[in-house]
């Protein structure tokens, strides 16, 4: 089975722009979670989707949003980028039961 | 919210040595996972272990949920074991995992 894929792998944006990141889960997995990793804050939960529904959301401003499509692929969007949004964005998929999560390689976003 | 503490923060080992990494959490948990993040940033799941003991090759893990801690054992360490080890816990059963700050392991040849 192919693993979790994320595109793009690297991205450079300027303050005020918006960005969309994509995540394709492992085939058959219906849960997709997103995380932000920074040196200062570590790994922080953004949101989790299951069958196109957001089931949980972390403590991030409304500029961070996401969605999941019927094929379980997920996108996250960050609007009005700030310097502090520079981070490694990771997505993870699982079957949806309390179970093992499998992570993608991440998208490294740099905001200038 | 739940607090997750990992110790030690840093660990340097000679190849072949054994080690124990600890994860303490401040509340009861529904789910717990251990991950290894390699030097390229890839997070690899090691164990899903909300309770009990599991083993996978040179690695094993034990979670004592009633005492709010989990241990990851690495035996006969290899240089490829280098990286950061995270535990992540979900206390609400909603898949909102909270990650610890990690243990950075360096194995010397």
């Amino acid at each position: 089975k192919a693993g979790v894929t994320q595109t793009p792998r690297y991205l450079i944006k300027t303050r005020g722009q918006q960005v969309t990141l994509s995540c394709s889960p492992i085939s058959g997995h219906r849960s997709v979670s997103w995380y932000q990793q920074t040196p200062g804050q570590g790994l922080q939960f953004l949101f989790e989707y299951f069958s196109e529904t957001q089931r949980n959301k972390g403590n991030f401003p409304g500029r961070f949003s996401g969605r999941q499509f019927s094929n379980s692929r997920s996108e996250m969007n960050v609007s009005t980028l700030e310097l502090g949004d520079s981070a490694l964005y990771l997505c993870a998929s699982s079957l949806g039961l309390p179970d093992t999560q499998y992570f993608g390689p991440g998208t490294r976003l740099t905001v200038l | 919210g739940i607090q997750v503490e990992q110790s030690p923060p840093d660990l340097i080992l000679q190849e072949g040595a054994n080690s124990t990494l600890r994860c303490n959490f401040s509340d009861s948990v529904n789910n717990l996972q251990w991950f290894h993040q390699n030097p390229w940033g890839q997070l690899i799941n090691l164990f899903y272990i909300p309770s009990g003991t599991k083993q996978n090759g040179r690695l094993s893990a034990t979670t004592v949920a009633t005492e709010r801690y989990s241990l990851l054992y690495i035996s006969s360490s290899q240089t490829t074991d280098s990286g950061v080890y995270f535990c992540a816990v979900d206390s609400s059963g909603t898949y909102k995992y909270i990650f610890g700050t990690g243990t950075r392991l360096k194995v010397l040849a």
Side-chain angles (χ1 to χ4, degrees):
Chain A
K1 266 187 185 178
V4 179
T5 58
Q6 292 187 244
T7 56
R9 292 291 312 278
Y10 302 91
L11 206 48
I12 299 175
K13 292 285 188 179
T14 56
R15 278 184 301 175
Q17 288 186 310
Q18 75 166 21
V19 66
T20 299
L21 312 181
S22 180
C23 172
S24 293
I26 291 172
S27 177
H29 286 192
R30 296 168 66 187
S31 170
V32 174
S33 299
W34 288 90
Y35 296 85
Q36 180 197 65
Q37 186 175 28
T38 60
Q41 299 298 317
L43 276 152
Q44 293 184 283
F45 173 84
L46 280 158
F47 24 65
E48 188 259 350
Y49 287 88
F50 180 83
S51 292
E52 302 179 65
T53 299
Q54 186 183 89
R55 294 198 294 191
N56 211 336
K57 183 172 164 59
N59 299 324
F60 279 81
R63 300 184 297 106
F64 291 81
S65 63
R67 60 178 175 168
Q68 186 180 34
F69 302 95
S70 58
N71 61 358
S72 293
R73 188 177 70 85
S74 178
E75 289 182 347
M76 67 162 282
N77 183 275
V78 188
S79 63
T80 319
L81 284 166
E82 300 177 359
L83 295 179
D85 297 333
S86 294
L88 180 65
Y89 290 88
L90 294 158
C91 84
S93 77
S94 70
L95 287 170
L97 305 171
D99 201 354
T100 301
Q101 284 185 309
Y102 297 89
F103 277 81
T107 294
R108 187 165 296 280
L109 171 65
T110 301
V111 182
L112 302 175
Chain B
I2 190 169
Q3 303 297 312
V4 183
E5 294 182 356
Q6 291 186 242
S7 60
D10 296 280
L11 188 58
I12 300 176
L13 299 174
Q14 283 297 137
E15 204 168 25
N18 302 328
S19 62
T20 300
L21 282 56
R22 187 176 181 101
C23 172
N24 291 332
F25 37 95
S26 60
D27 203 349
S28 58
V29 298
N30 295 94
N31 303 299
L32 187 148
Q33 301 182 83
W34 281 97
F35 295 94
H36 173 221
Q37 188 168 38
N38 66 23
W40 296 272
Q42 176 72 53
L43 271 164
I44 299 163
N45 185 283
L46 299 175
F47 294 102
Y48 171 78
I49 186 167
S51 63
T53 298
K54 288 187 178 180
Q55 180 156 10
N56 184 3
R58 297 182 297 105
L59 302 180
S60 64
T62 295
T63 297
V64 184
T66 53
E67 297 189 20
R68 299 180 182 172
Y69 72 88
S70 182
L71 302 174
L72 177 69
Y73 306 96
I74 304 174
S75 64
S76 305
S77 58
Q78 301 175 358
T79 56
T80 53
D81 295 331
S82 297
V84 184
Y85 289 80
F86 292 100
C87 73
V89 304
D90 164 28
S91 63
S92 57
T94 58
Y95 315 104
K96 182 179 176 180
Y97 278 94
I98 306 300
F99 278 73
T101 53
T103 291
R104 186 173 299 275
L105 173 65
K106 187 173 179 65
V107 181
L108 304 175

